[in-house]
Amino acid sequence: MITEQGITEQGTSEPRVLVLGGTAEARDLATRLHAAAVPVISSLAGRVSNPQLPIGEVRIGGFGGTERMRDWLRDNRITAVVDASHPFAARISANTAAACCAEDVPLLMLRRPEWTPAAGDHWSAVASLDEGAAALAGVGERVFLTIGRQGVGAFADCRDRWFLVRAIDPPVGPVPERMELLLARGPFDVDEEIALMRSRRIDVLVTKNSGGPLTEAKLAAARALAIPVLMVRRPAPPAGVGEVDAAGPAADWVMGRSGGGQVRRPGVDGRSTGSSANT
């Protein structure tokens, strides 16, 4: 069942777990919890027109800030939250941490591992999209921009460069004057990525360090073609929140290794369930 923003399931008799995010890891976690008969609600931000839906109950849309999220957690008898949102969804992660802290609801972050450079890579780390746009000077003139549809406006003033922009949905707002838009959803194949970069004569790749295998092929293609990469660093996660890097440890945290279904707090009895589940 899909519920829209602002609509709650009032009168729910059993406590449930909230999983945030439209990521592959969030869908994997929802599947695992559903198979274990753990009541779960998956929440998607609604920024993609045709999202891949997880199994089970789904709500779509933002919560409207920390205070409204606190109300929603209480109204829906949420006993634990797993933030499996995109690694660059800093605002929702911060609001979620504040709401869970205020309501004393256990919170765990599920973040896929970052990409790391391999032999033959030519990466330059940048702190933001604006810094990435400024760093293009002297690096390349034909840019493969794979940052999603949000943030493309940071490159709108780069009039002396040509852009291939790939996203699931068209960007909203300012865009570069010289631009080709390619609407596509991963996973992508390395050979296809090489062919794409060659056909567009790409000489620099700009991407976010999202991690994961679905779009990693572009990095292998850039390595094969000796194309430099401007890699946008992830924002820092909220302080004091436990973190794991896969759905399995997150499911263990929710269910408890004993199978008793009790939610574990990271840093108390959840240290062994993931690579960094501590406070």
Side-chain angles (χ1 to χ4, degrees):
M1 176 174 56
I2 301 176
T3 58
E4 298 296 333
Q5 177 180 354
I7 300 177
T8 59
E9 299 298 305
Q10 301 287 355
T12 300
S13 60
E14 61 182 350
R16 294 179 288 183
V17 175
L18 174 66
V19 176
L20 296 176
T23 60
E25 293 77 19
R27 293 189 294 273
D28 186 2
L29 177 58
T31 298
R32 291 169 184 264
L33 296 179
H34 185 80
V38 176
V40 58
I41 303 174
S42 296
S43 180
L44 281 64
R47 293 173 179 169
V48 176
S49 61
N50 185 28
Q52 295 178 280
L53 297 178
I55 190 170
E57 185 173 348
V58 179
R59 73 177 297 279
I60 296 179
F63 289 91
T66 300
E67 292 304 316
R68 290 188 179 182
M69 188 174 191
R70 290 181 61 182
D71 293 340
W72 194 93
L73 293 174
R74 288 195 302 270
D75 291 343
N76 287 271
R77 292 174 54 81
I78 300 299
T79 57
V81 177
V82 178
D83 178 1
S85 58
H86 193 276
F88 282 80
R91 180 177 298 178
I92 183 61
S93 292
N95 288 346
T96 299
C100 287
C101 180
E103 294 300 317
D104 198 27
V105 175
L107 170 64
L108 182 74
M109 295 192 75
L110 169 52
R111 289 288 185 271
R112 65 182 77 124
E114 292 183 319
W115 291 318
T116 56
D121 282 332
H122 304 280
W123 291 12
S124 297
V126 293
S128 66
L129 294 176
D130 289 336
E131 186 175 313
L136 285 174
V139 177
E141 296 184 355
R142 296 184 66 84
V143 186
F144 189 13
L145 194 60
T146 64
I147 59 170
R149 67 172 184 153
Q150 294 187 329
V152 175
F155 299 84
D157 292 334
C158 298
R159 295 182 176 87
D160 55 347
R161 278 159 179 70
W162 181 90
F163 290 85
L164 173 63
V165 176
R166 184 168 67 193
I168 297 175
D169 291 318
V172 177
V175 297
E177 182 178 314
R178 301 167 61 205
M179 181 189 82
E180 176 186 347
L181 177 62
L182 177 60
L183 298 181
R185 187 197 301 265
F188 301 105
D189 176 81
V190 175
D191 290 338
E192 292 175 347
E193 295 285 69
I194 290 175
L196 177 65
M197 293 186 193
R198 279 177 171 164
S199 68
R200 302 310 196 275
R201 294 182 289 116
I202 298 299
D203 56 15
V204 60
L205 169 66
V206 180
T207 191
K208 295 177 176 179
N209 198 335
S210 301
L214 291 181
T215 60
E216 190 174 19
K218 63 193 173 188
L219 302 176
R223 184 183 311 124
L225 298 173
I227 291 174
V229 177
L230 295 180
M231 184 68 71
V232 183
R233 290 193 293 264
R234 291 181 180 184
V241 179
E243 186 172 344
V244 293
D245 60 10
D252 289 342
W253 178 81
V254 171
M255 295 182 291
R257 288 193 181 276
S258 66
Q262 296 299 313
V263 171
R264 294 182 167 196
R265 290 179 179 274
V268 179
D269 55 353
R271 293 182 188 275
S272 62
T273 64
S275 60
S276 57
N278 50 53
T279 54

